[in-house]
Amino acid sequence: MTESVPEGILKRQSARESAARTYARVLPIVPVRARGMTVEGADGRRYLDCLSGAGALALGHNHPVVLEAVRTVLDSGAPLQVLDLATPVKDAFVTELFRTLPPGLADHARVQFCGPAGTDAVEAALKLVRAATGRTGMLAFTGAYHGMTAGSLEVSSGAGDVRATRLPYPQDYRCPFGVGGEHGAELAARWTESVLDDPKSGVRPPAGMILEPVQGEGGVIPAPDAWLRRMRQITADRSIALIADEVQTGVGRTGAFWAVQHSGVTPDVMVLSKAIGGGLPLAVVVYREDLDVWRPGAHAGTFRGNQLAMAAGTATLAFVREHGLAERAAAVGARLLSSLRDLAEEFPCMGDVRGRGLMIGVEMVDPEGERPGSAGNTKAHRTDLTEGGDRVDGVDRIDRVDGIDGAHLTRGACQPHEGEEIHEADRSPDSRGARDPLPAAPELALALQRECLRRGLIVELGGRHGGVVRLLPPLTVTDEQATAVLDRLADAMAAVAADHARGTGRARRSSEQVPPQGGRAERTR
């Protein structure tokens, strides 16, 4: 049989591209056209895109104001690449950017153009505060993600030998102190104060603290506003620079133009990328002018003068500001969160639904798994993608959903027994999450992602165990599109529930004939 054009392209990609590729493994589509929230594949299928270039496309694909801005630069004969020279295009971008910044920062700020990726802007921010303070240490948080270059990895979760002190990031569902809510956030703040003030903590006074107002890759975890204000006070009292990483949260994504504005906090440094370039590569650091101790060339990059990205960014920033898209994101996001929480009442494997604005996460769990502290519990089940490979536990990742045997699950992974009573205390993310979160279920998240794709919905995965399904629709999402997203996700969730309920039944019957040590559940512990 003759292979189709998209099949051929996907096959050549697999043969030629690095094993480090990620999205291509779980989204086997070949986009050829896109507009707004709609992406069309080479096979003619259309998808609603809730990935939005990992949050880079605030206005969706090919928005008219972005295309017009790019065409204007191209038609003008302006240079496309200008290093760090001054141009009218750059001047317009900086003017619009400063118009949107928190007033306490915009009035006394400097901007540093970096290499065209958020991770380089993080590197610049770390270098800057170290140079300004004469200190080398950094404070960072569990679950953080700040990029893939060396310095950025130091302050991200999972780092090894680093110069960063790791602090607890407050969250309700998997609170590191087992309490959640305001009390959990208070304990996290007290831990931070203790580390900094205890002369025997082993932590020297650091140059800065870097944090995400909403952790993205960490599982869509919004920082409590009161806790964020506490971090601002703690750092200000100790002359520690506060760095807000707004690479993914910025430009209206969370329901405010910048996520720090929810708490009224003005950081010393803001790291910006993704949406500020209108979908084109651009990254900057904005910081208090008294931190501007750079020597010429202290942080440079050939492509920091991308004129097309600056023009696209100016158009995007202005459109979001003038059309109130941050407020729109807050309203649509609240509707999506409410509807998804209602859906979680029907499917217990949706352990927690959380987010802010149009940055939403659904954490998938094993509702019959052992809770922390339960008899016989050792650790939450997790399955990681093998390093650099296409396979998970020996199974092709993209085909894993159909072949999962569910032996590590019991009693129908996503559904209660027929007639079984589900207590409200077990339904509530606040009460359940603060004390006894259920084990993460990355297999179910992967299954849900694939079922969504089958129904024409693109979603992302993230979180500590890869068990969080993430929604990042463009800020221009219509009410009709939001309804379609909910309908497709609900239909996909029902399919996952039914499939895994059947798979669990097969696993139980099989376990009656195979000794426990020979089963899959034993091998994966």
Side-chain angles (χ1 to χ4, degrees):
M1 188 173 73
T2 304
E3 75 179 13
S4 67
V5 171
E7 286 174 338
I9 292 174
L10 291 171
K11 184 179 293 185
R12 287 189 291 276
Q13 180 189 40
S14 181
R16 295 169 176 172
E17 287 193 26
S18 163
R21 67 192 187 283
T22 55
Y23 297 109
R25 297 181 185 279
V26 292
L27 299 173
I29 60 178
V30 180
V32 292
R33 277 174 293 276
R35 188 63 175 258
M37 194 176 176
T38 303
V39 172
E40 182 178 336
D43 59 358
R45 288 199 66 196
R46 292 189 174 185
Y47 303 85
L48 288 177
D49 184 6
C50 275
L51 178 56
S52 299
L57 301 169
L59 305 183
H61 296 273
N62 293 320
H63 193 281
V65 301
V66 174
L67 296 182
E68 179 60 27
V70 170
R71 288 193 189 101
T72 298
V73 174
L74 291 173
D75 293 343
S76 73
L80 301 184
Q81 211 301 79
V82 294
L83 299 172
D84 64 356
L85 300 178
T87 71
V89 173
K90 177 193 275 192
D91 183 63
F93 172 77
V94 173
T95 299
E96 183 60 41
L97 175 64
F98 274 48
R99 186 177 286 132
T100 71
L101 293 174
L105 182 60
D107 296 341
H108 305 282
R110 293 288 185 270
V111 60
Q112 164 78 26
F113 286 81
C114 307
T119 187
D120 191 60
V122 169
E123 296 280 352
L126 302 181
K127 288 168 60 177
L128 175 68
V129 298
R130 282 168 170 154
T133 63
R135 308 173 198 149
T136 58
M138 294 298 303
L139 301 175
F141 291 88
T142 55
Y145 177 77
H146 299 289
M148 295 301 292
T149 50
S152 300
L153 286 171
E154 279 193 351
V155 291
S156 299
S157 60
D161 185 17
V162 299
R163 294 177 291 171
T165 297
R166 199 75 55 197
L167 300 169
Y169 192 94
Q171 53 175 311
D172 286 337
Y173 192 66
R174 299 193 185 279
C175 175
F177 303 103
V179 294
E182 294 180 4
H183 187 37
E186 170 65 18
L187 291 174
R190 289 191 182 188
W191 179 274
T192 299
E193 289 180 319
S194 175
V195 164
L196 292 173
D197 296 341
D198 181 357
K200 297 296 184 180
S201 69
V203 177
R204 294 181 177 180
M209 170 190 286
I210 185 168
L211 56 78
E212 300 159 274
V214 180
Q215 286 195 343
E217 301 303 318
V220 192
I221 303 173
D225 292 336
W227 175 85
L228 193 51
R229 288 190 289 269
R230 186 79 169 271
M231 292 303 102
R232 173 67 285 186
Q233 190 63 52
I234 287 171
T235 52
D237 289 347
R238 295 161 180 80
S239 299
I240 300 168
L242 179 63
I243 305 169
D245 182 342
E246 292 252 18
V247 168
Q248 190 167 105
T249 55
V251 194
R253 170 62 56 189
T254 68
F257 208 100
W258 307 106
V260 291
Q261 292 174 308
H262 289 291
S263 60
V265 162
T266 300
D268 302 302
V269 183
M270 291 178 67
V271 180
L272 313 176
S273 188
K274 288 190 186 292
I276 67 162
L280 299 180
L282 187 64
V284 303
V285 181
V286 180
Y287 51 90
R288 289 193 345 252
E289 61 185 357
D290 59 291
L291 294 173
D292 195 26
V293 299
W294 287 126
R295 292 179 177 273
H299 194 86
T302 299
F303 293 102
R304 65 192 186 278
N306 186 339
Q307 294 261 87
L308 292 181
M310 292 176 193
T314 303
T316 298
L317 293 169
F319 193 90
V320 171
R321 177 179 57 82
E322 293 168 358
H323 290 80
L325 291 192
E327 293 79 8
R328 169 72 179 167
V332 178
R335 175 193 165 197
L336 291 172
L337 281 169
S338 177
S339 296
L340 289 170
R341 284 168 178 157
D342 288 344
L343 188 65
E345 293 293 310
E346 183 179 352
F347 299 108
C349 60
M350 297 173 65
D352 193 30
V353 177
R354 55 184 180 254
R356 201 156 206 176
L358 290 175
M359 193 171 179
I360 296 171
V362 177
E363 181 163 351
M364 302 297 289
V365 299
D366 172 5
E368 301 300 335
E370 296 284 357
R371 299 175 186 270
S374 300
N377 182 50
T378 54
K379 61 179 180 179
H381 175 82
R382 70 173 293 178
T383 304
D384 287 331
L385 187 66
T386 55
E387 188 173 338
D390 274 313
R391 302 167 72 79
V392 183
D393 279 357
V395 180
D396 288 341
R397 184 169 184 179
I398 199 63
D399 295 325
R400 182 171 174 76
V401 178
D402 295 331
I404 188 170
D405 59 20
H408 69 285
L409 304 176
T410 59
R411 253 208 272 161
C414 297
Q415 295 176 326
H417 267 324
E418 184 176 350
E420 180 182 15
E421 181 180 359
I422 302 297
H423 299 288
E424 284 303 309
D426 289 331
R427 291 288 198 188
S428 168
D430 291 334
S431 62
R432 174 177 56 184
R435 289 177 287 276
D436 51 1
L438 291 161
E443 297 91 346
L444 296 181
L446 184 62
L448 183 57
Q449 182 186 44
R450 186 178 182 187
E451 291 297 336
C452 283
L453 190 66
R454 285 174 174 167
R455 288 156 179 80
L457 178 63
I458 298 172
V459 297
E460 186 179 12
L461 299 184
R464 275 18 181 221
H465 307 288
V468 178
V469 176
R470 301 183 59 201
L471 303 178
L472 293 164
L475 311 189
T476 53
V477 58
T478 66
D479 290 338
E480 293 77 14
Q481 288 171 330
T483 297
V485 168
L486 290 169
D487 288 345
R488 295 180 191 188
L489 195 146
D491 191 53
M493 189 67 256
V496 170
D499 180 68
H500 282 273
R502 289 192 297 269
T504 304
R506 290 194 298 270
R508 285 200 302 272
R509 289 192 297 273
S510 175
S511 66
E512 295 173 358
Q513 302 171 353
V514 180
Q517 64 270 22
R520 173 181 162 78
E522 181 68 25
R523 292 199 305 273
T524 57
R525 278 203 285 269

